[in-house]
């Protein structure tokens, strides 16, 4: 009986010496929890950095595609004129935050042809998009088109503003009379500006690179009878 008791006692003492106390177990769990918090924070930081990098890459890609399209579209401007209005004005309107112009589309897009476009930011929209509206103009109408029911393409979201400038001479002046200057609107209904400058500022992030475009066509290309002395179209 004594031998059995001693053996039992030895077994019990051995079992206690190989285990963990409650304090040791608590410390281990606390350390494990701290390591888990650090690891989770690191993973979340990596995920946020990756997400920001992807968002910036997407924004940069969208900006480049938009500027490339606008450059091509604006350079292909066509001096389209209203045929029933006095002095046959050009389909071109330029303000500081909106630009309307006639240009060609490739045949693969909407069957091609010459369309009337309007570039602007929809500030009253929650996404504040930069949009390009387009319609087929009726050059035989008694007034310029107003874009009711026009098709609309979103070029970019999250745009705070666009600022557009126009380089050219004052309306009605001879080409050799004055030097061209930059202005924030275009009033000449007979001639296109020599240059168009567009600055785009997003709500977040850096401003886009400045876009400067020179229309390819001269305004007299839209006239059969162009009076170069006074810069006026006398017949189409």
């Amino acid at each position: 009986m004594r031998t059995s008791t001693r053996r039992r006692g030895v077994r019990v003492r051995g079992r206690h010496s190989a285990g963990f106390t409650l304090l040791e177990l608590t410390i281990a769990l606390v350390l494990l929890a701290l390591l888990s918090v650090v690891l989770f924070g690191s993973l979340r930081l990596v995920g946020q950095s990756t997400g920001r990098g992807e968002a910036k890459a997407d924004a940069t890609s969208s900006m480049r595609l938009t500027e490339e399209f606008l450059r091509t579209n604006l350079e292909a401007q066509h001096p389209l004129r209203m045929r029933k209005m006095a002095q046959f004005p050009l389909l071109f309107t330029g303000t500081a935050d909106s630009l309307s112009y006639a240009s060609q589309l490739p045949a693969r897009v909407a069957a091609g042809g010459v369309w009337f476009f309007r570039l602007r930011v929809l500030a009253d929209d929650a996404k504040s998009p930069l949009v390009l509206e387009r319609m087929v103009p009726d050059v035989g109408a008694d007034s310029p088109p107003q874009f009711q029911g026009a098709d609309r393409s979103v070029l970019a979201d999250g745009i705070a503003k666009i600022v557009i400038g126009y380089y050219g001479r004052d309306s009605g002046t001879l080409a050799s009379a004055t030097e061209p200057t930059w202005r924030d609107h275009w009033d000449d209904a007979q001639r296109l500006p020599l240059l168009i400058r567009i600055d785009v500022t997003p709500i977040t992030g850096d401003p886009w690179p400045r876009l400067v475009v020179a229309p390819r066509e001269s305004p007299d290309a839209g006239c059969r009878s162009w009076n170069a002395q006074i810069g006026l179209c006398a017949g189409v």
Side-chain angles (χ1 to χ4, degrees):
M1 291 295 293
R2 290 178 183 174
T3 302
S4 177
T5 302
R6 282 199 298 272
R7 289 177 180 173
R8 239 185 252 115
V10 170
R11 290 197 189 100
V12 171
R13 282 197 299 273
R15 201 181 301 131
H16 279 294
S17 63
F20 295 98
T21 65
L22 180 59
L23 179 59
E24 291 172 337
L25 184 60
T26 302
I27 294 174
L29 290 175
V30 170
L31 290 176
L32 180 61
L34 290 175
L35 289 174
S36 299
V37 170
V38 172
L39 180 60
F40 177 76
S42 300
L43 290 176
R44 189 170 69 171
L45 180 61
V46 171
Q48 290 175 346
S49 300
T50 302
R52 286 194 295 266
E54 291 177 350
K56 187 172 183 179
D58 290 342
T60 301
S61 177
S62 175
M63 176 268 294
R64 289 177 177 173
L65 290 174
T66 298
E67 288 205 335
E68 181 181 351
F69 171 78
L70 287 177
R71 180 181 299 279
T72 302
N73 197 232
L74 287 169
E75 286 180 347
Q77 281 188 70
H78 186 78
L80 198 63
R81 295 178 178 271
M82 300 299 293
R83 296 179 178 274
K84 290 187 178 181
M85 294 178 61
Q87 299 180 351
F88 312 106
L90 284 166
L91 274 177
F92 185 94
T93 304
T95 66
D97 57 5
S98 177
L99 172 62
S100 302
Y101 59 96
S103 184
Q104 293 184 342
L105 274 180
R108 65 178 182 276
V109 181
V114 178
W115 292 64
F116 192 38
F117 296 89
R118 180 168 64 180
L119 178 69
R120 60 179 180 141
V121 172
L122 297 183
D124 56 349
D125 189 294
K127 294 184 178 180
S128 191
L130 176 65
V131 300
L132 188 66
E133 298 164 298
R134 70 173 187 266
M135 61 177 297
V136 178
D138 181 7
V139 295
D142 297 328
S143 60
Q146 300 300 317
F147 289 94
Q148 282 95 358
D151 295 332
R152 177 180 295 172
S153 298
V154 175
L155 301 180
D157 286 323
I159 302 301
K161 64 177 181 178
I162 59 171
V163 178
I164 308 174
Y166 309 90
Y167 186 72
R169 298 177 176 84
D170 293 335
S171 176
T173 59
L174 298 177
S176 59
T178 59
E179 290 296 323
T181 59
W182 283 104
R183 58 205 67 205
D184 61 4
H185 61 279
W186 189 254
D187 295 326
D188 196 340
Q190 295 296 315
R191 293 178 292 193
L192 295 173
L194 301 175
L195 296 172
I196 300 171
R197 180 183 64 200
I198 302 177
D199 292 305
V200 180
T201 303
I203 295 175
T204 59
D206 298 329
W208 292 11
R210 172 171 288 177
L211 178 65
V212 179
V213 181
R216 290 177 181 171
E217 298 283 357
S218 58
D220 56 295
C223 285
R224 287 186 300 175
S225 179
W226 173 256
N227 189 330
Q229 295 296 322
I230 59 177
L232 183 68
C233 181
V236 294

